[in-house]
Amino acid sequence: MASAPHLLNALKERNVRLTRQRRVVLDALAVSGNHVRAEDLLREGRKRDPNLDRATVYRTLAMLKEHGLIDELDLLHLDGRGHYYEMRGHQDHVHIGCTECGRVTELHSPIVQALLDEVASHTGFRATSARIEVQARCPECAGGNAREQR
Amino acid sequence: MASAPHLLNALKERNVRLTRQRRVVLDALAVSGNHVRAEDLLREGRKRDPNLDRATVYRTLAMLKEHGLIDELDLLHLDGRGHYYEMRGHQDHVHIGCTECGRVTELHSPIVQALLDEVASHTGFRATSARIEVQARCPECAGGNAREQR
DNA sequence: ATACTATTTGCGACAATGTCGCATCTGAGA
DNA sequence: TCTCAGATGCGACATTGTCGCAAATAGTAT
Ligand SMILES: [Zn+2]
Ligand SMILES: [Zn+2]
Ligand SMILES: [Zn+2]
Ligand SMILES: [Zn+2]
């Protein structure tokens, strides 16, 4: 439990009401890895509160997103039409998805910040977050023609 | 009409069958500005072919995307849950959406290419396209309210 | 021009994902 | 403990996208 102390504290500071259900969703977020779908969170959360409702999960995700505490991705819809969520870390990173095998890799790079600076200086928009999703072929799929499974 | 000669030629070169419906969708794409939703294309396309079907539009979009001729965006879902399409130009660019007024701006920058190079050298993934969507507050919306950033 | 055939289309039924109104419930401060 | 603004559960709904299959058709060959 309390597996997401950072988020819990952030919500307290912002005077967001801490309901049992919200704690459950936060726990589910912490337990699941990155790139979780809403339905996964619902299933995971119901292990702790079997009455947890689909709408509550969506409403909680929307709230967390508004507060900038999670990011929403769709990983280029390489697999289905849903969206994915992950807790926001210290800095934005790049998501790279292979169009053939579906593998997703992350890359942290200072160039991301450089890009945001460029955005600010050229357009005057002050960025609050960035989503960078690169479509690619991974070394395995590009090299041999070995078919991987997903 | 032939309002999208570039796409038409690309399809011919690839021996993709040029049906009446596909021409209609291409025309609709050319007539509509950037950031068009599938349903917009359906409505626009039906002006030319009233029997144009929803499934055909989606199938055509999927085909164009597979050939790398269009990009799919969701503009951070600042407005609804749908996705947007635009013809691919010579190089990828950055989409910047204001979280308050919803205005979307584009930015072309050499840093995008630098980022893709970084991806290649660090991960070995060979990028075929990049989607960069920045969430921000535009100068007008930021002006009135100097509030916390993050 | 006509015939041929692999592809594509329209259609309808369906699945997945997300949203909303409203009655009820509850977290958190007093 | 009391109180009530705000959160939840529920169900009904909307949107967005998908699929199988019979019928139509683009491109090619004759
Ligand atoms: Zn990630
Ligand atoms: Zn999306
Ligand atoms: Zn791969
Ligand atoms: Zn704005």
Side-chain angles (χ1 to χ4, degrees), chain A residues 72-77 81-83 131 133, chain B residues 72-77 81-83 131 133:
Chain A
E72 184 190 48
L73 318 168
D74 71 16
L75 301 180
L76 294 152
H77 293 296
R81 66 212 124 179
H83 291 101
R131 198 165 97 181
E133 304 182 324
Chain B
E72 185 190 46
L73 318 168
D74 71 18
L75 302 179
L76 294 151
H77 292 296
R81 68 212 122 177
H83 292 102
R131 200 165 97 180
E133 304 183 324

XYZ file of all heavy atoms in Angstrom, chain A residues 72-77 81-83 131 133, chain B residues 72-77 81-83 131 133, chain C residues 18, chain D residues 17, ligand 2:
237
model
N -0.353 10.725 -20.651
C -1.171 9.829 -21.457
C -0.452 9.612 -22.776
O -0.001 10.551 -23.410
C -2.540 10.473 -21.698
C -3.501 9.587 -22.443
C -4.739 10.375 -22.863
O -4.581 11.481 -23.414
O -5.853 9.894 -22.625
N -0.346 8.361 -23.175
C 0.328 8.029 -24.432
C -0.615 7.209 -25.275
O -1.575 6.635 -24.762
C 1.568 7.171 -24.165
C 2.438 7.553 -22.985
C 3.426 6.439 -22.692
C 3.161 8.842 -23.282
N -0.341 7.117 -26.555
C -1.062 6.089 -27.292
C -0.101 5.198 -28.055
O -0.521 4.272 -28.733
C -2.172 6.650 -28.158
C -1.677 7.409 -29.354
O -0.513 7.261 -29.702
O -2.461 8.148 -29.951
N 1.206 5.492 -27.898
C 2.235 4.647 -28.505
C 1.922 4.350 -29.964
O 2.070 3.234 -30.440
C 2.393 3.359 -27.697
C 2.778 3.606 -26.221
C 2.919 2.290 -25.473
C 4.063 4.413 -26.130
N 1.436 5.382 -30.625
C 1.196 5.336 -32.070
C 0.171 4.283 -32.468
O 0.094 3.893 -33.600
C 2.518 5.099 -32.809
C 3.491 6.273 -32.656
C 4.908 5.804 -32.754
C 3.183 7.298 -33.737
N -0.601 3.831 -31.487
C -1.641 2.846 -31.781
C -1.081 1.638 -32.506
O -1.726 1.081 -33.385
C -2.758 3.482 -32.608
C -3.514 4.497 -31.827
N -4.257 4.172 -30.717
C -3.605 5.823 -31.963
C -4.772 5.271 -30.225
N -4.391 6.289 -30.946
N -6.516 0.530 -30.167
C -6.880 1.944 -30.252
C -6.875 2.622 -28.890
O -7.333 3.733 -28.752
C -8.243 2.081 -30.903
C -9.363 1.489 -30.053
C -10.466 0.921 -30.906
N -10.677 -0.472 -30.541
C -11.579 -1.279 -31.066
N -12.366 -0.843 -31.993
N -11.702 -2.514 -30.675
N -6.410 1.924 -27.878
C -6.486 2.471 -26.529
C -5.342 3.403 -26.191
O -4.435 3.618 -26.988
N -5.422 3.957 -24.990
C -4.361 4.832 -24.533
C -3.670 4.236 -23.322
O -4.207 3.376 -22.641
C -4.922 6.221 -24.239
C -5.346 6.926 -25.485
N -6.646 7.003 -25.875
C -4.623 7.545 -26.441
C -6.712 7.647 -27.034
N -5.506 7.983 -27.396
N 5.127 15.050 -25.510
C 4.936 13.659 -25.830
C 5.637 13.387 -27.143
O 5.257 13.936 -28.173
C 3.444 13.395 -25.967
C 3.111 11.959 -25.868
C 1.660 11.805 -25.641
N 0.987 11.536 -26.881
C -0.324 11.366 -26.961
N -1.062 11.492 -25.890
N -0.867 11.104 -28.099
N 6.716 10.422 -29.621
C 6.560 9.015 -29.948
C 7.129 8.764 -31.335
O 6.673 9.352 -32.319
C 5.084 8.625 -29.862
C 4.522 8.948 -28.474
C 3.075 8.540 -28.287
O 2.282 8.639 -29.253
O 2.725 8.126 -27.189
N -0.836 10.319 -38.233
C -1.991 10.312 -37.342
C -1.587 11.027 -36.052
O -0.542 10.748 -35.478
C -2.377 8.861 -37.028
C -3.632 8.730 -36.200
C -3.809 7.291 -35.717
O -2.843 6.692 -35.232
O -4.924 6.769 -35.852
N -2.420 11.926 -35.600
C -2.141 12.688 -34.380
C -3.326 12.554 -33.461
O -4.414 12.199 -33.870
C -1.987 14.176 -34.704
C -1.203 14.554 -35.944
C -1.422 16.027 -36.254
C 0.260 14.269 -35.713
N -3.110 12.835 -32.181
C -4.305 13.017 -31.366
C -4.279 14.346 -30.640
O -5.177 14.654 -29.875
C -4.587 11.837 -30.448
C -3.592 11.725 -29.318
O -2.905 12.710 -29.020
O -3.518 10.656 -28.704
N -3.212 15.126 -30.900
C -3.121 16.465 -30.327
C -3.419 16.455 -28.834
O -4.103 17.318 -28.318
C -4.042 17.423 -31.084
C -3.718 17.509 -32.584
C -4.675 18.451 -33.284
C -2.271 17.966 -32.786
N -2.910 15.435 -28.191
C -2.998 15.309 -26.727
C -4.427 15.254 -26.225
O -4.692 15.485 -25.061
C -2.246 16.464 -26.063
C -0.735 16.407 -26.315
C -0.141 17.785 -26.294
C -0.097 15.518 -25.275
N -5.342 14.950 -27.112
C -6.742 14.839 -26.715
C -7.232 16.087 -26.003
O -8.023 15.993 -25.062
C -6.955 13.605 -25.846
C -6.766 12.339 -26.610
N -7.567 11.974 -27.657
C -5.835 11.379 -26.514
C -7.136 10.834 -28.151
N -6.090 10.453 -27.489
N -11.818 12.698 -27.927
C -11.012 11.480 -27.866
C -10.588 10.989 -29.240
O -10.073 9.900 -29.389
C -11.807 10.407 -27.141
C -13.023 9.929 -27.907
C -14.159 9.531 -27.008
N -15.328 10.327 -27.335
C -16.515 10.208 -26.778
N -16.696 9.347 -25.837
N -17.505 10.966 -27.136
N -10.876 11.767 -30.254
C -10.609 11.290 -31.599
C -9.185 11.534 -32.062
O -8.363 12.101 -31.342
N -8.905 11.080 -33.250
C -7.588 11.281 -33.827
C -7.675 12.152 -35.066
O -8.734 12.314 -35.651
C -6.938 9.935 -34.133
C -6.595 9.181 -32.879
N -7.357 8.147 -32.417
C -5.608 9.353 -31.984
C -6.840 7.704 -31.283
N -5.782 8.414 -30.991
N 6.287 11.611 -33.917
C 5.135 12.409 -33.544
C 5.497 13.168 -32.283
O 5.743 12.562 -31.247
C 3.968 11.481 -33.282
C 2.669 12.168 -33.349
C 1.598 11.150 -33.437
N 1.040 10.895 -32.129
C 0.057 10.032 -31.924
N -0.425 9.342 -32.913
N -0.420 9.877 -30.746
N 4.214 16.026 -29.778
C 3.087 16.861 -29.400
C 3.371 17.486 -28.047
O 3.588 16.798 -27.057
C 1.810 16.010 -29.364
C 1.587 15.325 -30.709
C 0.305 14.503 -30.791
O -0.068 13.877 -29.763
O -0.316 14.483 -31.849
P -9.957 4.976 -23.489
O -8.842 5.823 -23.937
O -9.791 4.050 -22.375
O -11.180 5.946 -23.178
C -11.639 6.777 -24.221
C -13.013 7.276 -23.900
O -13.939 6.189 -23.769
C -13.149 8.081 -22.595
O -13.486 9.404 -22.955
C -14.252 7.370 -21.828
C -14.987 6.638 -22.946
N -15.802 5.490 -22.568
C -15.380 4.271 -22.093
N -16.370 3.439 -21.865
C -17.500 4.168 -22.210
C -18.870 3.793 -22.178
O -19.356 2.717 -21.823
N -19.703 4.815 -22.617
C -19.261 6.058 -23.041
N -20.185 6.927 -23.437
N -17.989 6.421 -23.086
C -17.171 5.427 -22.653
P -11.133 6.778 -34.502
O -9.734 7.049 -34.157
O -11.786 7.536 -35.588
O -11.237 5.218 -34.817
C -10.794 4.324 -33.811
C -11.354 2.956 -34.083
O -12.787 2.981 -34.085
C -10.952 2.332 -35.420
O -10.143 1.205 -35.136
C -12.274 1.963 -36.071
C -13.210 1.888 -34.884
N -14.638 2.018 -35.156
C -15.308 3.115 -35.624
N -16.599 2.908 -35.757
C -16.773 1.606 -35.349
C -17.952 0.813 -35.266
O -19.107 1.131 -35.557
N -17.692 -0.464 -34.793
C -16.443 -0.931 -34.444
N -16.357 -2.189 -34.017
N -15.338 -0.215 -34.504
C -15.578 1.044 -34.969
Zn -4.595 8.720 -29.216
